[in-house]
Amino acid sequence: MNQFQYIQPAKQKAAIDALTKDAKAMFIAGGTNLLDLMKRGLAAPEKLVDINKLPLKKIEFNNNGLRIGALALNSEVAQDKLVREKQPLLVQALEAGASGQLRNMATMGGNILQRTRCPYFYDIALPCNKREPGSGCGALAGFNRMHAIFGFSDKCIAVHPSDMSVALAALDATVVVAGPQGERQILFTDLHRLPGDQPEKDTILERNELILAIDIPDKPFAQKVHYLKARDRASYAFALVSVAAALATDKNIITAARIAMGGVAHKPWRLFEAEKFLEGKPVSEANFRSAAELAMQGAKAFNHNAYKLKLAPNSIAAALKAAAGIA
Amino acid sequence: MEKAFFDQDNNDNSLDRVDGRLKVTGAATYAAEYQLPNVTHAVLVTSTIAKGRITSLDSKLAEQAPGVLAVISHVNSPGVPAYGSSPAMPQRATLGTPLRVFHDNLIYFSGQPVAVIVADTWQRAEFAASLVKVQYEKEPHQTNLEANLSRAALPANVQRDKNSRYHDYDRGNPEELNTAAVKIEATYKIPTEHHNPLEPHAIIAHWEAPDKLTLYDKTQVIKGTQGNLARAFKLPLENVKVQAKFIGGAFGSGIRVWPHVMAATLAAKKVQRPVKLVLPRELMFTSVGSRPETIQHITMGATKDGKLTTITHEAVAHTSTYEEHTERTILATRMLYDCPHVSTRYRLVNLDVNTPTWMRGPGEVTGVYALESAMDELAYALQMDPLELRRRNHADSDPEKNLPWSSKSLKECYAKGAAHFGWHKRNPEPRSMRQGQMLVGYGMASSTFGVHRNYAKSRAVFQADGKVIVQSATSDIGPGTGTAMTRIAADTLSLSPAFIRFDLGESTLPDAPGQTGSTTVSSVGSAVKVACEALKQKLLQLAVNTPNSTLYNTNPADLSVEQGRIFKTGNPATGVTYTEILKQNNLPQLEVTEESKPGAEWQKYSMSAFGAHFVEVHVNPTTGEVRVKRVVTCAGVGKVINHKTARSQSIGGVVGGIGMALTEESVMDHRFGRYVTGDFANYHVPVHVDIPPIDVFFIDEHDPHVNPVGAKGLGEIAIVGVAAAVANAVFQATGKRIRDLPITPDKLI
Ligand SMILES: Cc1cc2nc3c(=O)[nH]c(=O)nc-3n(C[C@H](O)[C@H](O)[C@H](O)COP(=O)(O)OP(=O)(O)OC[C@H]3O[C@@H](n4cnc5c(N)ncnc54)[C@H](O)[C@@H]3O)c2cc1C
């Protein structure tokens, strides 16, 4: 780990200015990801701008929906009465992530921006285009059991590891960010990028943009939900594949469907086609299966992750069934 | 709730752990926690290539970094005197030359220490380490066991030793397989596994004088480390002190003197201050050994009614290019079942990796996984209950050595385990049992681990205040050694355990073997028993020789002792306490030192512990996820010294076995010769929710032959066979026979 300066501004503007002025400065929130990256030599900020003094912890509900401050802790959000009532899918996804101890430190903003867990990214002795553009993708012909089946490029086949983000993608959430030019709202599904030729860029955010809050609209599909996470052990493991499913139904007819997958792409992967397919159709296992198959079109596996071609559709159908409440 | 868990089956007045309070309150001092004045901090720089040589090592920037005291590498190492003569530190069963740290520019594996930074703080050492620039000339490396099977060979150390048990073994005529009524044949694989104790390895090396070395080291082998370091640095044995009073788990990772120990010791010599070195988790995968990856091929033949006629078992494991690590992989196959025709083959392939080492249940764990999986396959081929198949092939005496067992209660383990588990409810048909969506499977396996015993010494001192101090230089890696020894001493002396203090963890104490191979109770326990027995006799003698004692001139054979009080048998009123005897004789204390070692009993009996595991798994057919729902484990391990800690040992062993079966695997990217699962996010050990209720039973065995305490050892048998029981349960649940561990969802879906 390198030596670094540390500041803890009390004002939002000061925090953003600090990053604008200093190209080697970074925000730090819970630190559960960034500190690990620093210890492994993957990030070497010369200045840490601790944002924990900023007033970004609030959880509120208004006519449009739920607004959750970027510094609210994962555990606080998961235990919040309002959130539990309004957005059970988010709660399930949060509780499926990491461990109790980590959730007590992890913030909403930090969770969204956590970096991939690809082992080639993590070992500075191995090639990784995300860490060191141009060095090659170690995973492409290497150990890629955890890797993408959608949206990858020959530069990078890593996946985004967050559980919570999969739920947010499904729930039509938006992210409120602030930069030197002021605030903007970004649709959650637009926030994370596909790797393309620039795998070093995880999101469309500028490096000096600060996440202020997450907005989750109040929609009819918020209650019939399920988060399914398949993993190597019962807790404290990243998803092999995860599915966030949300349904609105009227007399057994699906009026709205929202589905997103984790562990399959460089970003939370929304299944727009499958959603469209389901809308207007009756709740049935066969329809869920068909939707899953539709969602899998274009999927491609590497040496060690072909199992995802089966695990993913199985999980989609199972999550939809659970959301709809059919056995 | 808590009471139910901690005090379950605890109806025999088990002792709580004597060091439990210290551990849970943080008062126990582990190696890295000793506060030495002037201590400095060391961080290793390790090789990023698997084979080749260092062409340049530029440490200028690192040396100039703040707080840095020294950068030590092969360029400027103060040197290890014994490295000149080869081999520097030969060790049993691991032949070759241990890695010579900072000796030359040769690279044998990725992760090999190439330099160590010493600085005034850990953070500064860590930063400086990132500034060292090492250039290599790479050579092609081989790290892939499967791709190198053609190089599999009988280990050279076996070839040189005609008494080795790893020679090719044939009993009867294994060709009989061809005529067997029912046959099976299968190949089983286990990956490289890493011990990964929670406490990382750590050491503080301190040269108290140019020829006096003290190590605070996480080691299971205190005397061995002392001897190794004394030989390496050509010091008188007594000039090297090793301390390891508390150890946060080891499972075998602390059995050897590893390169980081030498690095810290060399660094301390260079900077002439104490040096602390703590391995980060990532280096735990290349610094302290591993369970070797092993590929095993088994064939079995049986008569129609399930009598085994032949077993052949070939095992190929990996080792390093500089040492041969051998372990007992194929030995259980020769003795676990009564079978006339048996052949075993054991081979190694050397690879450009660090040397593997013993890991909990070494050898047996690997071999019995294959053997007990094969037994399950045979049971299906025979359409016979797997438990019944095992019963029919029970070995009433040791079929390899042709000796009677010193004691054995495997049949009782089968009966007790099966009854408690409800084995009779099992429908053998795969996929026939369900609970909701889940596929349910029942599996079982036998387990065995050899009894071992080594030379050990113990001192027992009766003090004027009534306390007894008992000592031996063993370590306690977690089984509760201090507790077991306290119990043995208390029972032998007929005293309450409250009066006993057992000292361990220091090389200045009387000789003890390393805490390995489930030998501590059998070896150190025996020495403690013998020493306390001698102390008691001395006290009795004193009592009958003391003129003003009421017991004067009594025949010692007519005396009894209870709670530290000696009296004429049948007449408690006449008694005198141990303390009074000392006072009457004006003695400040009474001390004895005794030794204990194995003898002729080993020619008369075959000695092993046996047991059985029963496991229920649920498999999610949608995701392929396996969860173990319930385990019943039963073993006959001679005398159980302290039930509570014994039960904990068994639980821990089962947990390790579940990890082996379902999650633990170190994956190497052979293009680079580097592990790509080298941290706790990727190397999955079971977490709490992966562990179901585990019911532990022991069959009471009275075994007067094994050793004076009558205990066979328990640490390792607890894990042996668990992986097979889980895999067998998965087969019954799913109809899929996964023959390469771990059984992860991708293999089942
Ligand atoms: C062992 C382990 C297991 C885990 N398992 C899981 C799992 O199963 N599922 C899962 O989803 N996650 C898992 N995690 C990841 C965990 O959820 C993240 O580490 C955590 O959410 C990050 O939040 P933080 O506040 O600590 O972020 P930090 O580490 O503080 O920051 C992460 C990044 O976000 C940036 N940042 C933080 N806040 C803001 C903001 N408001 N605006 C702009 N930039 C910001 C930082 O600059 C940094 O680059 C695991 C982590 C660990 C260590």
Side-chain angles (χ1 to χ4, degrees), chain B residues 52-74:
Chain B
R53 59 193 66 232
I54 302 169
T55 51
S56 81
L57 193 143
D58 179 359
S59 58
K60 257 186 239 98
L61 279 178
E63 280 157 32
Q64 288 158 9
V68 171
L69 300 166
V71 179
I72 300 137
S73 68
H74 69 285

Side-chain angles (χ1 to χ4, degrees), chain A residues 29-200:
Chain A
T32 61
N33 190 223
L34 184 53
L35 271 177
D36 273 359
L37 299 176
M38 291 168 71
K39 285 194 252 176
R40 299 284 284 263
L42 315 178
E46 286 173 5
K47 185 184 267 180
L48 282 184
V49 180
D50 182 340
I51 56 175
N52 285 293
K53 282 272 153 76
L54 306 182
L56 300 173
K57 248 177 170 305
K58 248 200 251 147
I59 302 173
E60 336 162 71
F61 188 74
N62 61 29
N63 292 342
N64 304 323
L66 202 58
R67 171 165 285 203
I68 303 173
L71 287 173
L73 299 178
N74 283 183
S75 53
E76 290 170 350
V77 177
Q79 280 150 30
D80 187 89
K81 261 180 94 177
L82 205 55
V83 179
R84 292 185 83 89
E85 182 195 320
K86 301 287 180 192
Q87 296 297 348
L89 182 62
L90 177 62
V91 174
Q92 287 180 28
L94 279 168
E95 288 179 342
S99 67
Q101 294 89 335
L102 280 156
R103 296 196 294 270
N104 279 337
M105 289 296 288
T107 64
M108 299 300 279
N111 191 320
I112 294 169
L113 296 182
Q114 63 175 297
R115 308 210 68 193
T116 184
R117 292 277 160 174
C118 173
Y120 298 89
F121 176 68
Y122 260 83
D123 184 348
I124 56 170
L126 298 178
C128 170
N129 287 323
K130 187 181 270 300
R131 188 188 63 242
E132 206 183 316
S135 62
C137 173
L140 199 58
F143 179 60
N144 44 38
R145 180 173 176 267
M146 300 295 289
H147 289 71
I149 52 173
F150 291 113
F152 49 81
S153 71
D154 59 356
K155 299 274 192 299
C156 179
I157 62 170
V159 298
H160 190 254
S162 165
D163 288 296
M164 179 192 89
S165 297
V166 181
L168 292 177
L171 292 168
D172 288 350
T174 54
V175 182
V176 187
V177 305
Q181 271 81 49
E183 288 187 17
R184 62 172 175 150
Q185 293 250 355
I186 303 169
L187 207 54
F188 199 87
T189 41
D190 292 340
L191 179 70
H192 295 94
R193 297 177 66 253
L194 289 179
D197 284 339
Q198 277 186 299
E200 68 277 15

Side-chain angles (χ1 to χ4, degrees), chain B residues 438-521:
Chain B
M438 297 296 156
L439 298 167
V440 175
Y442 287 4
M444 63 84 53
S446 308
S447 67
T448 184
F449 197 78
V451 173
H452 307 277
R453 183 179 170 197
N454 296 311
Y455 170 85
K457 247 165 126 174
S458 175
R459 178 187 300 129
V461 185
F462 195 94
Q463 294 185 324
D465 61 1
K467 288 237 158 89
V468 186
I469 296 168
V470 185
Q471 302 179 315
S472 188
T474 181
S475 69
D476 183 351
I477 57 175
T481 302
T483 314
M485 298 306 151
T486 299
R487 172 116 249 174
I488 292 170
D491 288 353
T492 310
L493 283 162
S494 308
L495 266 179
S496 153
F499 292 100
I500 312 285
R501 189 187 86 201
F502 183 72
D503 292 342
L504 51 64
E506 278 180 291
S507 59
T508 48
L509 300 173
D511 270 11
Q515 186 158 53
T516 67
S518 299
T519 56
T520 303
V521 169

